[in-house]
């Protein structure tokens, strides 16, 4: 459910894929994605959709654990 709500927020705040990816990275990790992370994220979204991307973001080790 949270992944769906997160995807909805990204869609409401930007219609551009690159901007959505940057916003997601900033909200989850407090940093911009590297160029490689940006491109791979966009490819993932094209293949699997924005909700699946947000689900992955919320389940990453970087999101779950605070250093």
């Amino acid at each position: 459910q949270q992944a769906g709500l997160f995807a909805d927020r990204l869609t409401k705040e930007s219609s551009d894929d690159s901007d959505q990816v940057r916003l997601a990275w900033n909200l989850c990790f407090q940093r911009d994605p590297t160029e490689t992370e940006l491109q791979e994220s966009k490819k993932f979204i094209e293949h699997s959709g924005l909700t699946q991307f947000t689900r992955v973001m919320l389940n990453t080790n970087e999101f779950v654990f605070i250093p």
Side-chain angles (χ1 to χ4, degrees):
Q1 181 183 11
Q2 292 304 311
L5 294 170
F6 189 16
D8 290 345
R9 177 178 178 178
L10 297 176
T11 302
K12 288 177 187 172
E13 294 192 23
S14 179
S15 60
D16 179 72
D17 289 347
S18 294
D19 289 342
Q20 289 174 345
V21 169
R22 284 186 191 95
L23 179 59
W25 280 79
N26 276 290
L27 290 170
C28 285
F29 310 132
Q30 299 298 300
R31 68 177 180 87
D32 288 327
T34 64
E35 188 59 33
T36 301
E37 290 167 335
L38 176 64
Q39 296 307 318
E40 292 298 319
S41 295
K42 287 171 56 176
K43 285 180 192 175
F44 185 89
I45 291 168
E46 288 176 21
H47 183 262
S48 300
L50 188 59
T51 302
Q52 283 299 102
F53 170 71
T54 56
R55 182 172 288 127
V56 169
M57 294 292 284
L58 294 174
N59 284 293
T60 61
N61 201 27
E62 190 172 350
F63 179 76
V64 175
F65 294 100
I66 299 172

